[in-house]
Amino acid sequence: MKNPLIAALIGITIGGVGFGLLTPVTVILLEQSGAPSWITGSSTTLGYLAVVLASPFTGRLIDRFGVKFILNSGMIIWLIGSLGHIFWYNYYVLFPIRLITGFGATFIFIATEVIINRCSNENNRGHNIGLYAVLLSIGIAAGTLLIFTVEYGDWVPFVIGSSIMLLALFFMIYFLQVTDEAVFDSIKIIKMKFKEMPFLSLASAGLYGIFESAIIVVLPLYGLRNGFNQIEVSYFLTSFVIGGIVLLYFLSKLSDLYSSAKLLLIISLLLGIFMLIPTLSLSLTFLIIVFFIIGGFVPAYYTIGLNFTVQSIEKKHIAQANSFFIMMYGLGTLIGPIIGSMIVEISKRYGFWIISAALCFSFFLIVLRKYLPNK
């Protein structure tokens, strides 16, 4: 527990349970209450808007106040936002609460990733980032399995999520010891310019944001509108998350051995192919398997892209580069839920998967043209 890397990984696993509950339950409640698709998409997007607003300065806050302070502050903010979701049916409350929760999540993710990157080297960074994503996914998967608690009251999942985050907060306060915090705080803060970020980093973070946020919204809508019940929809979500647990770890570990850029090209091509497969059948078992595979490939844009970023920038800019990376992720999440829900509205069975495949193939061609001559 004295190793800050281990403490951060355990803490994010516990907190992930709350992340896995919040958005899917909100989407399901809005859908079952007859809320228009634009309300569902917009409320989810507001949660990610905070990521875009908070991420540019979070890295500098970490450099100034310390990573533990920002991490714990994020947990407190997220906890308050989660409790506010009890009033999900009041849009005047729901919309600002989504923003508050997004600010807390931004602090949590950036601070955790900064700890991991500072505690890693070139030989194990991909492994550690992958392990972080896998453990977070385990927590999120556990959270999606608790979706059924909504049957005991529409407020129950939000109280459970808040209680779990409170447990994670106590764990971090007690166990997380960042012994070199004073060294980091004593370094003169040198502002990193956005244009110094590698194109591949920005593109992979943005594309991951689009897919991650859209799929969390689209799967419940896609499932319910194509004849699946609430329990079967939870299977889809859980399968998607577990795919990240089983497959993502190995994909991220490969980035310590092979070129991150080439790995992203291969993953993008394969993901584009698998995105087209759900158009072939509405079999429950078939779709669960497909979403499992898609769930393994989608977050690789994030983990491998983040490893590529840290390998490509000066080490003094790790915190700020993390912030820019998550800012691009946040920009992607602004697009994902609204566009995803609109596409489902137009074509409930085919639209989203065809557009997603087109994005994957476009990423593959653009990056291939940009990087192949130099690799």
Side-chain angles (χ1 to χ4, degrees), residues 268-269 271-273 276 356-366:
S268 196
L269 178 62
L271 181 58
I273 294 171
L276 292 173
S356 295
L359 284 174
C360 291
F361 295 141
S362 296
F363 177 88
F364 172 83
L365 293 174
I366 292 172

Side-chain angles (χ1 to χ4, degrees), residues 134-313:
V134 166
L135 292 174
L136 175 60
S137 296
I138 289 174
I140 292 174
T144 59
L145 291 175
L146 293 174
I147 289 175
F148 76 92
T149 58
V150 73
E151 297 176 1
Y152 300 106
D154 57 7
W155 55 272
V156 174
F158 304 125
V159 172
I160 292 175
S162 301
S163 301
I164 292 171
M165 186 59 76
L166 184 61
L167 175 63
L169 174 62
F170 287 150
F171 179 89
M172 288 299 197
I173 291 173
Y174 185 77
F175 286 110
L176 182 60
Q177 299 177 15
V178 187
T179 56
D180 52 357
E181 193 78 318
V183 176
F184 295 138
D185 289 344
S186 66
I187 296 174
K188 181 180 179 181
I189 299 173
I190 302 174
K191 185 176 181 181
M192 180 184 183
K193 296 180 180 179
F194 181 75
K195 66 181 180 180
E196 295 179 56
M197 286 288 290
F199 167 80
L200 184 56
S201 300
L202 301 176
S204 61
L207 195 57
Y208 171 69
I210 292 173
F211 285 149
E212 188 264 352
S213 62
I215 289 175
I216 291 297
V217 173
V218 165
L219 280 184
L221 298 178
Y222 167 82
L224 294 172
R225 295 185 184 187
N226 283 286
F228 298 98
N229 60 41
Q230 182 176 305
I231 300 299
E232 290 169 333
V233 166
S234 72
Y235 293 158
F236 289 160
L237 291 167
T238 303
S239 179
F240 175 76
V241 174
I242 291 178
I245 297 172
V246 177
L247 299 180
L248 178 62
Y249 175 76
F250 297 101
L251 292 174
S252 300
K253 195 170 183 178
L254 288 175
S255 65
D256 288 328
L257 305 174
Y258 304 101
S259 165
S260 295
K262 290 181 179 179
L263 282 175
L264 284 170
L265 289 178
I266 296 171
I267 287 168
S268 196
L269 178 62
L270 292 175
L271 181 58
I273 294 171
F274 278 100
M275 283 291 193
L276 292 173
I277 295 180
T279 64
L280 302 178
S281 173
L282 284 176
S283 165
L284 176 64
T285 303
F286 176 80
L287 289 175
I288 288 175
I289 294 173
V290 172
F291 294 148
F292 171 86
I293 297 172
I294 290 175
F297 281 127
V298 165
Y301 279 119
Y302 191 92
T303 58
I304 298 177
L306 182 57
N307 191 26
F308 177 86
T309 302
V310 177
Q311 292 172 347
S312 305
I313 54 94

Side-chain angles (χ1 to χ4, degrees), residues 15 50 52 64 76 188 196 199 257 298 311 344 348 367 372:
V52 178
R64 185 173 299 279
I76 294 171
K188 181 180 179 181
E196 295 179 56
F199 167 80
L257 305 174
V298 165
Q311 292 172 347
V344 172
K348 64 183 181 181
V367 178
L372 185 60

